[in-house]
């Protein structure tokens, strides 16, 4: 209610993603989707648009629309994801990004992944990472990888990962 009041008073649209996320938290994903379709979303800063995309995907997931949630995430501009937004992605949401978008992550974003997120990556996902991205993996993230994940990496990637693991 406070965000709606602030939006009415000052006309700021930056509150829209937070308002939508609040609606989700209150168990009203339909209202979150309504806010995500607000025409003002197109005028948000790029990072706020990505945040709204994540909230929209979460609302679709809440409604049982898993395919719709994954398609929504596939449309996200991953380079605009903040570290906080990236950490907020569930492993299922992260999986939706891996097909074409995982290689677009910055090294800062790779280093920000949670150990659960790294553990959820497939061998194909790991093989799609660049050498710089592999080098950004932290020792805690490397420890979360299974032997099956590591066994299917190239020898160069294993060498980079080993160096990263002893940082």
């Amino acid at each position: 209610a406070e965000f709606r009041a602030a939006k009415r008073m000052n006309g700021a649209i930056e509150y829209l993603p937070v308002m939508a996320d609040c609606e989700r938290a209150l168990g009203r994903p339909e209202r979150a989707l309504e806010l995500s379709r607000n025409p003002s979303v197109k005028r948000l800063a790029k990072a706020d648009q990505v945040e709204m995309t994540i909230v929209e995907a979460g609302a679709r997931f809440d409604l049982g629309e898993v395919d719709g949630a994954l398609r929504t995430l596939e449309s996200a501009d991953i380079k605009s994801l903040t570290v906080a937004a990236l950490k907020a992605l569930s492993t299922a949401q992260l999986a939706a990004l891996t097909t074409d978008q995982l290689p677009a992550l910055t090294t800062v974003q790779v280093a920000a992944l949670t150990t659960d997120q790294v553990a959820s990556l497939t061998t194909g996902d790991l093989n799609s990472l660049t050498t710089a991205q592999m080098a950004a993996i932290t020792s805690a993230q490397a420890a979360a990888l299974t032997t099956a994940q590591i066994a299917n990496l190239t020898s160069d990637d294993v060498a980079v990962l080993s160096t990263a693991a002893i940082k």
Side-chain angles (χ1 to χ4, degrees), residues 126-127 129-135 150-164:
L126 290 168
N127 285 327
L129 294 176
T130 65
T131 302
Q133 288 172 314
M134 288 296 271
I150 295 169
N152 291 308
L153 294 175
T154 67
S155 57
D156 289 342
D157 285 342
V158 171
V160 171
L161 193 57
S162 297
T163 303

Side-chain angles (χ1 to χ4, degrees), residues 79-165:
K79 287 186 178 181
S80 299
L81 282 175
T82 63
V83 168
L86 187 63
K87 284 185 173 187
L89 291 176
S90 69
T91 54
Q93 291 170 325
L94 182 66
L97 300 176
T98 59
T99 315
D100 296 322
Q101 296 176 308
L102 193 60
L105 287 173
T106 67
T107 54
V108 172
Q109 289 171 318
V110 170
L113 293 172
T114 66
T115 54
D116 286 343
Q117 288 172 323
V118 171
S120 75
L121 297 175
T122 67
T123 301
D125 297 336
L126 290 168
N127 285 327
S128 73
L129 294 176
T130 65
T131 302
Q133 288 172 314
M134 288 296 271
I137 290 177
T138 66
S139 57
Q141 290 169 323
L145 295 173
T146 66
T147 52
Q149 287 171 304
I150 295 169
N152 291 308
L153 294 175
T154 67
S155 57
D156 289 342
D157 285 342
V158 171
V160 171
L161 193 57
S162 297
T163 303

Side-chain angles (χ1 to χ4, degrees), residues 1-2 6 18 28 38 51 58 61 63 102 107 110-111 118 121 131 140 159:
E2 287 81 9
V18 177
R28 299 186 295 235
N38 186 310
E51 183 70 26
F61 189 80
L63 291 169
L102 193 60
T107 54
V110 170
V118 171
L121 297 175
T131 302

Side-chain angles (χ1 to χ4, degrees), residues 70-82:
L70 297 177
R71 279 192 306 278
T72 300
L73 281 174
E74 287 171 351
S75 72
D77 179 3
I78 194 159
K79 287 186 178 181
S80 299
L81 282 175
T82 63

Side-chain angles (χ1 to χ4, degrees), residues 16-77:
L16 286 172
V18 177
M19 291 167 57
D21 209 18
C22 289
E23 292 294 350
R24 274 193 69 213
L26 292 169
R28 299 186 295 235
E30 302 87 2
R31 287 189 184 174
L33 287 176
E34 286 174 28
L35 286 169
S36 74
R37 291 188 290 264
N38 186 310
S40 297
V41 170
K42 292 178 182 170
R43 295 193 331 258
L44 289 171
K46 192 60 141 174
D48 292 332
Q49 287 179 12
V50 171
E51 183 70 26
M52 183 61 94
T53 300
I54 292 168
V55 172
E56 178 186 350
R60 291 187 185 288
F61 189 80
D62 295 344
L63 291 169
E65 300 172 9
V66 177
D67 289 341
L70 297 177
R71 279 192 306 278
T72 300
L73 281 174
E74 287 171 351
S75 72
D77 179 3

